[in-house]
Amino acid sequence: MEVVSKKQLEEVVTLNHLLINIIEQAFTDLLVKEVQMPPIMRVDVPDYNGEVDIKSAYVPGYDSFAIKISSGFFNNYKLGLPSANGLMLLISSKTGVPKAVLADNGYLTDIRTAAAGAVAAKYLAKTKSPNVGVIGTGAQARLQVKAVSLVRKIEKLFVYGRTKEKAEKYKQEMEKELQVPVQLMEHPKEVVQSSDTVITTTPATDPVIRAEWLHPGLHITAMGSDAEHKRELDEHVVEAADLVVCDKKEQSTRLGELKGKSEKFVGNNVLELGQITSGAAVGRETPEQITVCDLTGTGIQDTAIARFAYERLINKCKGRNT
Amino acid sequence: MEVVSKKQLEEVVTLNHLLINIIEQAFTDLLVKEVQMPPIMRVDVPDYNGEVDIKSAYVPGYDSFAIKISSGFFNNYKLGLPSANGLMLLISSKTGVPKAVLADNGYLTDIRTAAAGAVAAKYLAKTKSPNVGVIGTGAQARLQVKAVSLVRKIEKLFVYGRTKEKAEKYKQEMEKELQVPVQLMEHPKEVVQSSDTVITTTPATDPVIRAEWLHPGLHITAMGSDAEHKRELDEHVVEAADLVVCDKKEQSTRLGELKGKSEKFVGNNVLELGQITSGAAVGRETPEQITVCDLTGTGIQDTAIARFAYERLINKCKGRNT
């Protein structure tokens, strides 16, 4: 069994169009194939303010699948450590034998999560969406914006973060990275009002976006909520939107922004991303629509990126480039 | 992150009294501590007759816990491979950082499962239980009997297996190992009727033991059923028993021999092993009682053995022996 380091993975997998296509295909597979994707397993470690999530998905016809272990230990900052850790196991679909440990420290999760944001923006943001807003200033606040920049031309970036220092750092880094002006905002409301596309990337337990701030043509991707107690959008946001999409209804109603919504509402008003990527349903149809996409993160994304990474590594060793 | 091989693990962990104590303590912990043990996660791989189970448990006060991935791919024999595979991850309770991959290929699972059988026999078999019977001739049929031999003096072993050849091999090996006569039986009924203690170790989907074969003083440990479709004891066995024990009610009612039993029956008639090991309830009280223990396998056993193995490895490296 091979152990692959984060560094090795960074060399073969980056956030680009190819990867976005891989993740888009994963969402299609989730809809059209008999995918085995069990509910997320979660181990709580309350003594240390920690949690471990385990995700997996087997896709028929794929010769391997991933089991992903990701942890968030929110006291780690006191020790000077990042809160997120984790790894992926790649398992042979034919024999169950573990093929590799991808010791990515959460790198692949970061990238595949951002790629899902790109898929959402591709189908749900207006074709012309030059103004992008982001709530939060962490790793996903960076990666999600980069992901959107691959599918929509960004001319200006608006950001809100609770910690001034981190927001300043974000501005500096992202202006350099994207070569567009980044404006710090005093309030999330200003971000929403200034933007065509808004991405929320926080572990908020109280909503950071209110329904009354929505305006025609807005697209929101909410990727922060992935637990029972988290919530980024107030409960009226999805009701006020013209089109609501999520990665997986079962997860979104339990862990994401569809908490508390009736089965009827979800059945009648919500699409899964795979319905759009597969062509079974359409995404945004007019520039005036308000669209929302809730991403909770799915095991099939982990299987898709782990397989892709492993294949690239194998090909690299063989001296080929895919 | 260390990767520890099966060979290294075999050198530091064997089935003995110390390990039985460790597993017994785990069952006590499961009852008396605020253990976080989520439901078992299962990924089905129907195309290859495979399944992967993921178990875990965090015990307050322990500086690490295990996440165990175990697979059963039942077409592997066609490739000359064992059906079982797997590994354990040892995760730091303080930071969530993976400390080690215990690449045990199922070795630790085999051992901790057998140790649970020893705990069951210790509290539930008659003090004098010289005749032991086993249904099945695989790895657990060997290990469970060895485990029982550590807590009860065995004088004779009765075995039933569907494949004559495997049963003959079992007899040869176990006579050498235990230094007691092993008798092959033509039918499970004969095994039950000849034995004080019976262990069922099969992946049966149709019961292999019938209630009408039970006799005073019998103890049965059923460790084979760990899935919705499996079953080793007919539905009347637990009703006919004087004392029914399981490792974890939630698992036993879903995956084990308590399937289909009412909440009331389970509430009034079934103990968890930890109630007995902790002293909150008593096990066998008279030589006449009929006792049954259903083992489905719990994440806390994995955490206990993974921590024990890792500690022994560390101490070995330091040149000490615990």
Side-chain angles (χ1 to χ4, degrees):
Chain A
M1 190 181 56
E2 274 173 277
V3 179
V4 182
S5 71
K6 180 177 178 181
K7 190 162 172 290
Q8 286 173 291
L9 293 164
E10 286 172 337
E11 283 166 11
V12 293
V13 182
T14 50
L15 181 57
N16 58 21
H17 284 285
L18 176 55
L19 186 76
I20 293 170
N21 287 348
I22 299 271
I23 297 300
E24 177 167 343
Q25 182 61 45
F27 285 117
T28 300
D29 284 346
L30 188 55
L31 190 85
V32 303
K33 294 187 182 173
E34 295 282 326
V35 173
Q36 302 284 336
M37 191 167 83
I40 299 165
M41 179 172 177
R42 177 180 166 132
V43 190
D44 285 311
V45 184
D47 303 345
Y48 297 101
N49 197 14
E51 60 187 48
V52 181
D53 273 354
I54 302 157
K55 296 182 181 181
S56 183
Y58 166 69
V59 185
Y62 284 13
D63 67 358
S64 60
F65 62 100
I67 295 172
K68 199 262 297 277
I69 288 97
S70 58
S71 63
F73 277 63
F74 303 105
N75 295 348
N76 277 4
Y77 72 94
K78 296 179 191 169
L79 306 168
L81 295 172
S83 62
N85 269 288
L87 54 79
M88 294 192 190
L89 297 170
L90 196 69
I91 309 282
S92 162
S93 306
K94 292 189 180 169
T95 63
V97 174
K99 294 169 84 156
V101 178
L102 309 182
D104 71 329
N105 266 354
Y107 173 71
L108 297 178
T109 300
D110 280 348
I111 297 295
R112 66 80 156 146
T113 303
V119 175
K122 178 177 164 185
Y123 288 99
L124 299 172
K126 283 178 300 185
T127 312
K128 287 197 181 179
S129 291
N131 297 312
V132 172
V134 63
I135 314 292
T137 56
Q140 278 298 313
R142 289 163 167 80
L143 286 168
Q144 288 285 344
V145 172
K146 285 183 214 173
V148 169
S149 78
L150 292 170
V151 297
R152 289 292 183 273
K153 185 166 166 44
I154 301 181
E155 289 172 15
K156 191 155 186 191
L157 181 58
F158 302 91
V159 61
Y160 170 79
R162 284 182 307 178
T163 314
K164 188 86 179 180
E165 216 168 52
K166 288 178 75 182
E168 287 286 1
K169 190 157 176 260
Y170 180 91
K171 174 180 157 76
Q172 279 172 26
E173 284 179 26
M174 293 301 283
E175 283 189 337
K176 198 172 162 191
E177 169 101 26
L178 292 180
Q179 296 287 318
V180 301
V182 177
Q183 188 173 337
L184 305 189
M185 310 302 267
E186 293 295 316
H187 197 277
K189 182 181 180 180
E190 297 169 7
V191 173
V192 175
Q193 289 174 336
S194 309
S195 303
D196 304 295
T197 303
V198 170
I199 309 142
T200 59
T201 66
T202 76
T205 49
D206 288 316
V208 292
I209 292 192
R210 311 231 148 260
E212 54 264 35
W213 308 340
L214 305 187
H215 54 81
L218 178 66
H219 167 68
I220 300 174
T221 293
M223 58 67 55
S225 181
D226 58 356
E228 285 82 353
H229 61 289
K230 295 182 188 171
R231 171 138 240 166
E232 296 190 284
L233 311 180
D234 89 25
E235 55 181 329
H236 305 298
V237 169
V238 298
E239 284 155 15
D242 299 297
L243 179 58
V244 181
V245 182
C246 68
D247 48 8
K248 182 77 184 164
K249 288 183 183 182
E250 282 165 33
Q251 293 188 187
S252 198
T253 50
R254 190 163 59 90
L255 309 169
E257 302 297 341
L258 297 176
K259 280 182 204 89
K261 297 299 165 200
S262 69
E263 214 171 297
K264 193 177 161 197
F265 176 85
V266 174
N268 291 341
N269 297 279
V270 181
L271 295 177
E272 289 188 348
L273 211 40
Q275 291 177 269
I276 298 174
T277 60
S278 69
V282 288
R284 174 180 289 273
E285 293 182 271
T286 73
E288 290 76 34
Q289 282 178 303
I290 297 174
T291 57
V292 171
C293 184
D294 179 39
L295 300 175
T296 52
T298 58
I300 200 167
Q301 291 166 261
D302 298 316
T303 283
I305 198 168
R307 282 171 48 79
F308 176 68
Y310 188 71
E311 200 177 284
R312 299 271 289 196
L313 281 164
I314 298 287
N315 286 336
K316 196 182 170 192
C317 292
K318 287 184 189 158
R320 285 187 280 136
N321 227 324
T322 55
Chain B
M1 191 182 55
E2 273 173 277
V3 178
V4 181
S5 71
K6 180 178 179 182
K7 190 162 171 291
Q8 286 174 292
L9 293 164
E10 285 172 336
E11 283 166 12
V12 293
V13 182
T14 49
L15 181 56
N16 57 20
H17 284 285
L18 177 55
L19 186 76
I20 293 170
N21 286 347
I22 299 271
I23 296 301
E24 178 167 342
Q25 183 60 48
F27 284 117
T28 299
D29 284 346
L30 188 55
L31 191 85
V32 303
K33 295 187 180 173
E34 295 282 328
V35 172
Q36 303 284 336
M37 190 167 83
I40 299 164
M41 179 172 176
R42 177 180 166 133
V43 190
D44 286 309
V45 183
D47 303 345
Y48 297 101
N49 197 13
E51 60 187 49
V52 181
D53 272 355
I54 302 157
K55 296 183 180 182
S56 183
Y58 166 68
V59 185
Y62 284 13
D63 66 358
S64 60
F65 63 99
I67 296 172
K68 198 261 298 277
I69 289 97
S70 59
S71 62
F73 277 64
F74 303 105
N75 294 348
N76 277 5
Y77 72 93
K78 295 179 192 168
L79 306 167
L81 294 173
S83 62
N85 270 288
L87 53 80
M88 294 192 189
L89 297 169
L90 196 69
I91 309 282
S92 162
S93 304
K94 293 189 179 168
T95 63
V97 174
K99 294 170 85 155
V101 178
L102 308 183
D104 70 330
N105 265 356
Y107 172 70
L108 297 178
T109 299
D110 280 347
I111 298 294
R112 64 81 155 145
T113 303
V119 175
K122 178 177 163 185
Y123 289 100
L124 298 172
K126 283 178 299 182
T127 313
K128 288 196 183 181
S129 291
N131 297 311
V132 172
V134 62
I135 313 292
T137 55
Q140 279 297 312
R142 288 163 168 79
L143 286 168
Q144 289 284 345
V145 173
K146 285 183 214 174
V148 169
S149 77
L150 292 170
V151 297
R152 289 292 183 274
K153 185 165 165 45
I154 301 181
E155 290 172 17
K156 191 155 184 191
L157 182 58
F158 301 90
V159 60
Y160 170 79
R162 284 182 305 178
T163 315
K164 188 86 179 180
E165 215 169 54
K166 288 177 76 183
E168 287 286 1
K169 190 158 177 254
Y170 180 90
K171 174 181 157 74
Q172 279 172 25
E173 283 179 26
M174 292 302 283
E175 284 189 339
K176 196 171 162 190
E177 170 101 27
L178 292 180
Q179 296 288 316
V180 301
V182 177
Q183 188 173 336
L184 305 189
M185 309 302 266
E186 293 295 316
H187 197 277
K189 182 181 179 181
E190 297 169 6
V191 173
V192 175
Q193 288 174 336
S194 310
S195 304
D196 304 295
T197 304
V198 170
I199 309 142
T200 59
T201 66
T202 74
T205 49
D206 288 315
V208 291
I209 292 193
R210 309 231 151 260
E212 54 265 33
W213 308 339
L214 305 187
H215 54 82
L218 179 66
H219 167 68
I220 299 173
T221 292
M223 58 67 56
S225 180
D226 59 354
E228 285 81 354
H229 61 289
K230 295 184 190 171
R231 173 138 238 166
E232 294 190 285
L233 311 181
D234 88 26
E235 56 181 329
H236 305 298
V237 169
V238 299
E239 283 154 15
D242 299 297
L243 180 57
V244 181
V245 182
C246 68
D247 49 8
K248 182 77 183 163
K249 288 184 182 181
E250 282 164 35
Q251 292 187 189
S252 198
T253 50
R254 191 162 58 89
L255 308 170
E257 301 297 341
L258 297 175
K259 281 183 203 90
K261 296 299 165 200
S262 70
E263 214 171 298
K264 193 178 162 198
F265 176 85
V266 174
N268 292 341
N269 298 279
V270 181
L271 295 177
E272 287 188 350
L273 211 39
Q275 292 177 267
I276 298 174
T277 61
S278 69
V282 287
R284 174 180 289 272
E285 293 182 89
T286 74
E288 291 75 34
Q289 282 179 303
I290 297 173
T291 57
V292 171
C293 184
D294 180 38
L295 301 174
T296 52
T298 58
I300 200 166
Q301 292 166 259
D302 298 317
T303 283
I305 198 167
R307 282 171 48 76
F308 176 67
Y310 189 71
E311 202 176 281
R312 299 270 288 196
L313 281 164
I314 299 286
N315 285 337
K316 195 182 170 191
C317 292
K318 286 183 188 159
R320 285 185 281 135
N321 227 325
T322 53

